[in-house]
Amino acid sequence: MANHPSFGGRSGVRVVVAGDRATGKSSLIAAIATESFPESVTPVIPPTLLPPDFYPDNVPLTVIDTPSSLDKQSKRNEELKRADAVVLTYACNDTASVSRLSSYWFPELQKLEVKVPVVVVGCKLDLRDESQQVSLERLMTQLLQQFKEIVTCIECSAATQYQVPEVFYFAQKAVLHPVDPLYDIGSQALTDRCVRALRRIFVLCDRDMDEALNEAELNDFQVRCFNVPLQSSEIAGVKSVVQQKVPEGVNSLGLTFPGFICVHAMFLKKGRPETLWAVLRNFGYDNDLKLKDDFLPVPSKHALDQSVELTGEAVEFLNGIFRLLDTDKDRALRPAEVDKLFCTAPESPWNDALYKDAAEMNDMGYLSLNGFLSQWALMTLLDPPCSLANLIYIGYSGNPAAALRVTRRRAVDRKKQATERNVFQCYVFGSKSSGKSALLDSLLGRPFSNNYIPSTVERFAVNAIELIGGARKTLVLQEIPESKVSNVLSKKDYLAACDVAVFVYDSSDELSWKKSRDLLEKVARQGDLTGYRVPCLLIAAKDDLTPYLRAVQDSVKVTQELGIEAPIHVSMKLGDSSNVYNKIVHAAEHPHLSIPETEIGKKRKQYHRLLQHSLVFASVGTAMAVVGLAACRAYAVKKNSSG
């Protein structure tokens, strides 16, 4: 069966029919398959395939019958777990079968974690006693209030063929055009995510950016989504209806965004979600109201020690977006301005814990330009698909494939003794209360705080670092809490994404120094074992306190033995950072330096030297043999000629 991209690549819909014995399941399936009422049916009908042209969406539908007996319950449960939609039957002439829906069937679906649309179907309508009708309607109303999985309730009769095709049409429609992502029954309004998607579509269609869709823009929208132009009289009719419902939905320039929302809400209320889905899918949305993967050409990393960065083109676009949002020209974005930035995205990605408080703010708590660009750099580093999707959501109209680039492998950078990266990721190790958090806060320009709050989760800080000569690099500090170190180092490839590792210790505390020294040795050893060797730096924090003298002596000795730079002494309390961030960036820019020499590394180097020596001796021996052979041949020729 061919895939249907408009339905998320779905090649068919699987509908499972379940219900109590003698409620009419098998007769219902036989009636849709043969378009007639069978006099007798087998207890369980084999899977029934309805061809693609049976319903307007041209997607084939498979109907699965299920047994009602207890001994075959496991078989029924397997089928329910594989369902795209469920048809639950009751008998219109049996009130007890209706009660069983709430007392048994829906609890059973919940226990099996079957989270698909459910169509409740009353079979044997021709046998119902009309005196029961009011009672049944009341019971169905209660069901709809209790179970949100129900998409519709319908009554039918296999004997008279009344509404039999509609049963499976509604089931298929609920799968291909789900209402839940679009409409919130509780608030009786479009969902927030649906409104955000429609806002992006509206902005894309509003080519003259006057916040209204004129006749030409409405017509282009109609042709793009439905391949049918609108007549002027039809546009006038739409505007008239909208103006009656939402006066601000139309102005002298055309249909405004409230009016655009009103039109789509009307389709939903008329039971036509497929119309709204046709619009959303045309603009690239999936069933979660996010852009589909094929709209996001994220470049692939071929190795774990590569990373992804924004291109210059994307950074230039973001600079322009910042200027556009900064309406009061204070070179900072207020929370409301950031919310406005992502009003056309499913949600603000920066509400995620990873990005909260990770970038530079001004004294008012507003996002600076540095912070804005750094936040995007961090999101691109950690989650390239999310970054690219949000670039498109906020209006990036360039070639999406030109927005991101994959960097060269770090292993290659080490060999070439240079790097082309613009964003460096630095892991920050250290014991509790060593000064790790203060190092991150200082990068963001935040004042030192005496209130110590131990870190329990990995935390990020990101900012631009200006180098000598005016070049700017983005530095990402990732704090590794002491409690997470064992878990982190148990991952073989963890160092692949690291450009520099720093080890912070309280220079006044013996235990803090010993822990950082041990961490340095562990990380260096893992780098040698896995091949992901990284430059390492020691940072002696709290330099304003009386130093632990043994740590001073030991640290110098350790750095000399390992062949890395001497410890960098800092005091964030006194505001003395000793240019530590530039030194971290310098280490990242020279990835072949500051790599600790461990015993494993020394043995490997010694082995390579021996191998090279043996190759040299072998090549010299081969050369001498060749020379000797040539001399013998020359002597033989000379002897023969003289003879």
Side-chain angles (χ1 to χ4, degrees):
M1 293 181 284
N3 283 344
H4 297 260
S6 59
F7 305 126
R10 185 178 287 280
S11 58
V13 173
R14 186 180 182 88
V15 177
V16 174
V17 183
D20 281 352
R21 184 192 299 274
T23 53
K25 301 190 302 296
S26 300
S27 295
L28 174 65
I29 297 169
I32 190 68
T34 63
E35 298 184 25
S36 62
F37 180 61
E39 291 185 8
S40 64
V41 293
T42 57
V44 179
I45 293 179
T48 301
L49 179 66
L50 302 182
D53 59 358
F54 201 93
Y55 292 121
D57 285 317
N58 287 309
V59 174
L61 188 148
T62 303
V63 183
I64 307 295
D65 196 3
T66 58
S68 303
S69 57
L70 287 173
D71 59 323
K72 295 183 179 177
Q73 200 175 70
S74 59
K75 171 66 175 171
R76 181 204 70 193
N77 291 348
E78 284 176 22
E79 293 293 359
L80 286 170
K81 288 177 181 178
R82 295 174 59 202
D84 295 319
V86 172
V87 166
L88 271 186
T89 61
Y90 68 90
C92 290
N93 62 340
D94 179 8
T95 308
S97 68
V98 182
S99 301
R100 284 266 298 167
L101 295 175
S102 57
S103 66
Y104 174 76
W105 283 104
F106 278 103
E108 185 71 3
L109 291 178
Q110 289 168 349
K111 186 172 77 175
L112 295 171
E113 297 185 351
V114 177
K115 298 175 182 177
V116 297
V118 176
V119 177
V120 175
V121 180
C123 299
K124 305 184 180 183
L125 180 61
D126 54 302
L127 302 179
R128 183 173 70 188
D129 182 347
E130 289 306 312
S131 64
Q132 294 178 325
Q133 187 168 352
V134 176
S135 174
L136 280 174
E137 285 179 0
R138 187 175 66 253
L139 286 169
M140 296 316 295
T141 302
Q142 290 171 356
L143 271 179
L144 284 165
Q145 291 171 345
Q146 263 185 291
F147 304 105
K148 64 178 184 178
E149 300 91 348
I150 301 175
V151 291
T152 192
C153 298
I154 184 174
E155 295 174 329
C156 69
S157 168
T160 64
Q161 289 287 302
Y162 176 70
Q163 293 200 140
V164 169
E166 284 83 350
V167 168
F168 298 100
Y169 171 70
F170 286 133
Q172 186 189 65
K173 184 177 174 180
V175 176
L176 301 180
H177 313 291
V179 173
D180 276 357
L182 309 179
Y183 195 73
D184 185 340
I185 295 174
S187 63
Q188 297 285 296
L190 297 180
T191 61
D192 177 62
R193 191 171 276 198
C194 180
V195 171
R196 286 166 171 265
L198 289 174
R199 184 179 281 111
R200 171 177 169 260
I201 293 168
F202 181 86
V203 170
L204 289 173
C205 294
D206 182 21
R207 293 192 306 273
D208 56 11
M209 293 185 290
D210 62 356
E211 298 186 359
L213 301 184
N214 58 36
E215 191 165 316
E217 289 166 340
L218 278 171
N219 207 34
D220 289 344
F221 165 79
Q222 175 76 11
V223 169
R224 172 172 175 169
C225 296
F226 305 104
N227 206 28
V228 177
L230 283 169
Q231 301 299 319
S232 295
S233 58
E234 292 174 309
I235 293 175
V238 169
K239 287 182 180 179
S240 176
V241 172
V242 168
Q243 203 156 28
Q244 290 173 20
K245 293 181 177 293
V246 185
E248 69 274 19
V250 177
N251 63 21
S252 59
L253 300 173
L255 190 72
T256 64
F257 181 64
F260 192 67
I261 288 291
C262 175
V263 170
H264 290 92
M266 283 193 293
F267 284 122
L268 270 186
K269 288 174 181 176
K270 289 178 180 177
R272 292 173 55 189
E274 64 273 18
T275 304
L276 180 45
W277 275 117
V279 172
L280 292 165
R281 286 173 177 138
N282 191 280
F283 282 86
Y285 287 94
D286 62 16
N287 280 12
D288 293 322
L289 294 180
K290 292 184 175 181
L291 286 176
K292 291 183 286 191
D293 289 344
D294 51 1
F295 273 69
L296 302 172
V298 179
S300 299
K301 292 193 295 183
H302 300 293
L304 292 171
D305 61 345
Q306 291 180 294
S307 59
V308 181
E309 297 180 358
L310 295 163
T311 61
E313 182 182 320
V315 172
E316 188 178 340
F317 164 76
L318 290 171
N319 269 296
I321 285 289
F322 184 91
R323 290 193 297 271
L324 197 65
L325 288 170
D326 184 21
T327 51
D328 52 9
K329 306 303 176 190
D330 62 352
R331 297 186 60 77
L333 298 184
R334 301 164 186 262
E337 290 170 327
V338 175
D339 288 342
K340 185 178 180 182
L341 168 68
F342 292 114
C343 70
T344 50
E347 60 267 319
S348 172
W350 295 349
N351 288 335
D352 189 292
L354 287 176
Y355 307 112
K356 275 189 175 180
D357 300 322
E360 180 186 82
M361 304 275 188
N362 67 12
D363 293 340
M364 301 288 291
Y366 302 157
L367 195 63
S368 65
L369 176 60
N370 262 350
F372 178 76
L373 295 176
S374 297
Q375 195 84 299
W376 278 99
L378 177 62
M379 184 161 62
T380 307
L381 179 75
L382 300 180
D383 193 347
C386 178
S387 180
L388 182 58
N390 279 284
L391 278 172
I392 296 171
Y393 290 137
I394 68 171
Y396 181 75
S397 57
N399 178 6
L404 307 181
R405 75 177 188 95
V406 176
T407 64
R408 192 168 65 190
R409 290 192 60 186
R410 290 176 173 88
V412 176
D413 285 349
R414 284 196 297 275
K415 286 180 182 177
K416 292 185 177 291
Q417 301 186 0
T419 182
E420 300 169 343
R421 295 172 194 274
N422 293 311
V423 180
F424 298 118
Q425 185 163 8
C426 171
Y427 291 173
V428 181
F429 293 94
S431 63
K432 288 179 183 177
S433 190
S434 60
K436 300 188 299 297
S437 296
L439 184 73
L440 270 69
D441 287 338
S442 181
L443 175 66
L444 303 177
R446 294 176 188 167
F448 178 81
S449 172
N450 285 309
N451 295 327
Y452 172 63
I453 302 173
S455 300
T456 56
V457 295
E458 291 183 339
R459 178 193 159 201
F460 291 88
V462 56
N463 212 341
I465 304 297
E466 191 161 337
L467 308 177
I468 297 171
R472 291 168 72 85
K473 300 291 182 180
T474 300
L475 176 61
V476 176
L477 297 183
Q478 181 175 348
E479 180 182 355
I480 316 295
E482 185 182 6
S483 60
K484 302 290 183 184
V485 169
S486 297
N487 183 46
V488 159
L489 295 181
S490 67
K491 300 173 184 174
K492 186 178 70 172
D493 301 321
Y494 190 74
L495 291 175
C498 180
D499 292 296
V500 182
V502 301
F503 301 84
V504 183
Y505 63 95
D506 178 347
S507 58
S508 69
D509 184 271
E510 177 184 7
L511 184 60
S512 181
W513 154 246
K514 287 181 177 178
K515 285 186 175 180
S516 282
R517 182 190 63 198
D518 291 344
L519 281 170
L520 169 58
E521 290 172 356
K522 284 180 182 177
V523 169
R525 195 182 309 119
Q526 177 154 331
D528 273 325
L529 289 171
T530 61
Y532 299 121
R533 303 172 72 220
V534 297
C536 294
L537 298 174
L538 277 168
I539 296 178
K542 305 187 181 182
D543 202 38
D544 53 290
L545 302 178
T546 303
Y548 171 64
L549 293 177
R550 183 67 183 273
V552 175
Q553 296 165 355
D554 281 358
S555 62
V556 172
K557 183 181 176 183
V558 166
T559 53
Q560 288 174 344
E561 287 176 352
L562 293 176
I564 63 175
E565 287 189 29
I568 305 165
H569 289 263
V570 300
S571 171
M572 297 309 174
K573 187 173 184 177
L574 298 179
D576 178 14
S577 64
S578 298
N579 216 19
V580 65
Y581 307 113
N582 287 70
K583 290 175 182 177
I584 293 172
V585 170
H586 182 270
E589 287 192 304
H590 301 83
H592 60 297
L593 303 177
S594 301
I595 295 178
E597 279 281 3
T598 64
E599 287 303 316
I600 296 171
K602 287 174 183 175
K603 287 178 182 176
R604 185 182 287 120
K605 195 173 281 186
Q606 190 176 13
Y607 169 76
H608 284 306
R609 283 201 196 100
L610 287 171
L611 189 63
Q612 285 175 339
H613 282 310
S614 62
L615 288 172
V616 168
F617 283 129
S619 60
V620 169
T622 303
M624 289 180 68
V626 170
V627 170
L629 183 62
C632 288
R633 284 179 177 169
Y635 174 76
V637 170
K638 185 177 180 181
K639 186 176 180 181
N640 288 335
S641 60
S642 63

